[in-house]
Amino acid sequence: MQEDFLHYVWQHQYFDKTDLCTIDGQPITVLRPGMRNPDAGPDFLNARLQLGEVEWNGAVEIHLRASDWHRHQHQHDPKYDQVVLHVVYEADQAVLRLDGSEVPALALAPRIAPTLLATYEKLLATAEATDALPCAPLLDTVPAVTRMSMVERALLERVEQKASVVEDLHQRLGQDWEATAYHALAAAFGFQKNSEPLARLAKALPLSIVRRHRHDARQLEALLFGQAGFLAETDATRHDAYLAGLRQEFAFLQHKYSLHGTALEAHEWNFLRLRPANFAPVRLAQLAAVLHARPALFDALLTAADVRTLTQFFQAPTTDYWRQHFRPGVPGKVPALGKSSVQVLITNVVVPLRVAYARHVGQPELVESAVALLSELPAEHNHITDAYATQGFGHRSAADSQGLLALHRGYCTPRRCLHCAIGSRILQRTPAVS
């Protein structure tokens, strides 16, 4: 059993309250269980209880065992002097406040229905398959509307988390939205395997320099590929005239902007287990094409009316050389940025960027329109989303996919069933009194 279970039981008063009393016999009437405390200190604040003939307003602390009070060192913390009731599963020890007065205790072990505890333990049991839903055997008791609302909630939480990352980036960049869009877009063009080195490349090549040369595709490529470490002369590139021209251009710009010592090395990029279309030089050329063709990144990403407009934005044509080379000096026909890649960029850049901006300017209606973009995108199919679809969860768009992934990673995998509307519904259908 985890302490979270007792938090759930107390919050929802899901236990037998017949002749409710403390372990020393004081009658208890719960007038208000209190509010969960997300910060340091007692678990529930502003509780209202009647103990015997006296009404108390204060905090409630919850432990599996009363002795956990001492194990957590609460006896030395004045914040816990406001505790008016110690709710425990087992009352194995009396506990005292700093002034020596005893904290009244309620033992829940004999008051929780065995069927409720059994359902909880079934939810938390480790499934054989890592992608299995803990509640799969009990899902038929949960209405479809509850499932749908929980997926929507998880989706919004996932979008908000991504938006918070953008907000942090925005703060670090001096609240410059154009620079924020540049850095976010650069990292996203790494598509997981190379997102970290591309994020570092954006730091090594500031937007202030990019802005001065984005009108010239050759100079822009020289800066990007030079700072990425891809212009060093090798056996494969020694006789490549195009790369020689970029190398010469970069040498001049490197000196002009004092970029010596700031470039990445070629070995810092990941190529293992990647298809050629996902190689870092290909993605870098595609990023260069966007930066060259779209001078106002943030405004375009913020105002694009639909997925079609955003697709056109991202599918800017690369230069001839990078349509015919997967790596510097290595020829091969390179496909244009595909629709699936565009969908990843919309999901991981456009939507979080718009939500972060909406929060910044206090326009919540922009959040709704940003999330609506995900409903225009097709569903993402993988072993996780397919497992949920098999269990009857709706899966028609990227909004559903993102919601299911958030549900899986934020609730199912860490077994946070008690914080999930689906798990809560299952428990609520179990009698609280045996």
Side-chain angles (χ1 to χ4, degrees), residues 15 113 198-199 209 213 243 246 253 269 278 332 346 354 406:
F15 55 91
L198 256 165
I209 297 176
H213 300 277
L243 294 178
L246 292 186
L253 295 171
W269 299 90
N278 287 328
I346 293 173
R354 290 188 179 191

Side-chain angles (χ1 to χ4, degrees), residues 1 26 40 60 71 204 241 260 264 266 296 303 365:
M1 181 191 298
Q26 290 187 79
V60 173
R71 191 166 63 85
H260 294 279
L264 281 70
T303 60
E365 65 276 9

Side-chain angles (χ1 to χ4, degrees), residues 171-238:
Q171 289 296 323
R172 293 199 305 272
L173 295 170
Q175 298 192 346
D176 183 336
W177 282 111
E178 184 70 9
T180 302
Y182 166 62
H183 281 257
L185 193 61
F189 259 94
F191 293 93
Q192 291 189 340
K193 285 282 189 177
N194 283 301
S195 60
E196 191 272 335
L198 256 165
R200 286 192 286 119
L201 175 60
K203 292 180 181 179
L205 184 61
L207 179 62
S208 58
I209 297 176
V210 171
R211 276 176 167 151
R212 297 175 189 176
H213 300 277
R214 68 195 323 167
H215 65 283
D216 188 316
R218 182 187 180 88
Q219 292 178 352
L220 187 57
E221 284 191 359
L223 284 166
L224 285 167
F225 282 90
Q227 284 295 86
F230 286 130
L231 294 184
E233 188 175 287
T234 65
D235 291 341
T237 64
R238 185 167 293 114

Side-chain angles (χ1 to χ4, degrees), residues 150-426:
M150 185 60 209
V151 172
E152 290 176 351
R153 179 181 129 194
L155 167 64
L156 289 176
E157 290 174 356
R158 183 176 175 86
V159 169
E160 292 285 351
Q161 288 168 359
K162 291 182 178 182
S164 294
V165 174
V166 173
E167 285 181 324
D168 291 342
L169 182 63
H170 181 241
Q171 289 296 323
R172 293 199 305 272
L173 295 170
Q175 298 192 346
D176 183 336
W177 282 111
E178 184 70 9
T180 302
Y182 166 62
H183 281 257
L185 193 61
F189 259 94
F191 293 93
Q192 291 189 340
K193 285 282 189 177
N194 283 301
S195 60
E196 191 272 335
L198 256 165
R200 286 192 286 119
L201 175 60
K203 292 180 181 179
L205 184 61
L207 179 62
S208 58
I209 297 176
V210 171
R211 276 176 167 151
R212 297 175 189 176
H213 300 277
R214 68 195 323 167
H215 65 283
D216 188 316
R218 182 187 180 88
Q219 292 178 352
L220 187 57
E221 284 191 359
L223 284 166
L224 285 167
F225 282 90
Q227 284 295 86
F230 286 130
L231 294 184
E233 188 175 287
T234 65
D235 291 341
T237 64
R238 185 167 293 114
H239 303 294
D240 191 309
Y242 184 78
L243 294 178
L246 292 186
R247 196 177 300 119
Q248 183 178 3
E249 192 76 56
F250 177 64
F252 170 76
L253 295 171
Q254 185 183 42
H255 176 75
K256 179 178 180 179
Y257 295 112
S258 302
L259 296 175
H260 294 279
T262 63
L264 281 70
E265 299 287 344
H267 66 78
E268 297 180 61
W269 299 90
N270 298 308
F271 289 88
L272 186 65
R273 296 188 181 92
L274 285 178
R275 292 179 298 175
N278 287 328
F279 282 176
V282 172
R283 296 308 190 189
L284 202 54
Q286 292 165 347
L287 174 62
V290 171
L291 295 174
H292 172 62
R294 322 298 185 202
L297 288 178
F298 176 68
D299 182 67
L301 295 176
L302 183 68
T303 60
D306 49 32
V307 168
R308 180 181 178 182
T309 305
L310 286 166
T311 300
Q312 293 172 346
F313 172 90
F314 286 121
Q315 290 182 329
T318 59
T319 55
D320 289 342
Y321 183 88
W322 295 111
R323 284 197 289 268
Q324 300 168 20
H325 291 81
F326 287 106
R327 299 178 72 159
V330 181
K333 187 176 181 180
V334 181
L337 186 71
K339 287 185 177 181
S340 61
S341 296
V342 170
Q343 291 161 13
V344 171
L345 293 172
I346 293 173
T347 300
N348 293 333
V349 179
V350 180
V351 173
L353 190 67
R354 290 188 179 191
V355 172
Y357 180 75
R359 297 200 310 203
H360 182 74
V361 298
Q363 296 183 19
E365 65 276 9
L366 294 179
V367 175
E368 185 176 345
S369 64
V371 175
L373 284 173
L374 297 174
S375 298
E376 294 184 45
L377 299 174
E380 175 186 349
H381 290 281
N382 54 50
H383 71 284
I384 294 174
T385 58
D386 290 347
Y388 284 85
T390 300
Q391 295 295 335
F393 284 83
H395 190 215
R396 295 172 296 277
S397 70
D400 297 323
S401 302
Q402 290 294 301
L404 293 175
L405 290 171
L407 181 64
H408 176 76
R409 293 168 183 168
Y411 294 89
C412 298
T413 298
R415 298 299 190 260
R416 296 182 64 236
C417 306
L418 300 177
H419 302 272
C420 171
I422 297 169
S424 182
R425 177 76 181 202
I426 290 170

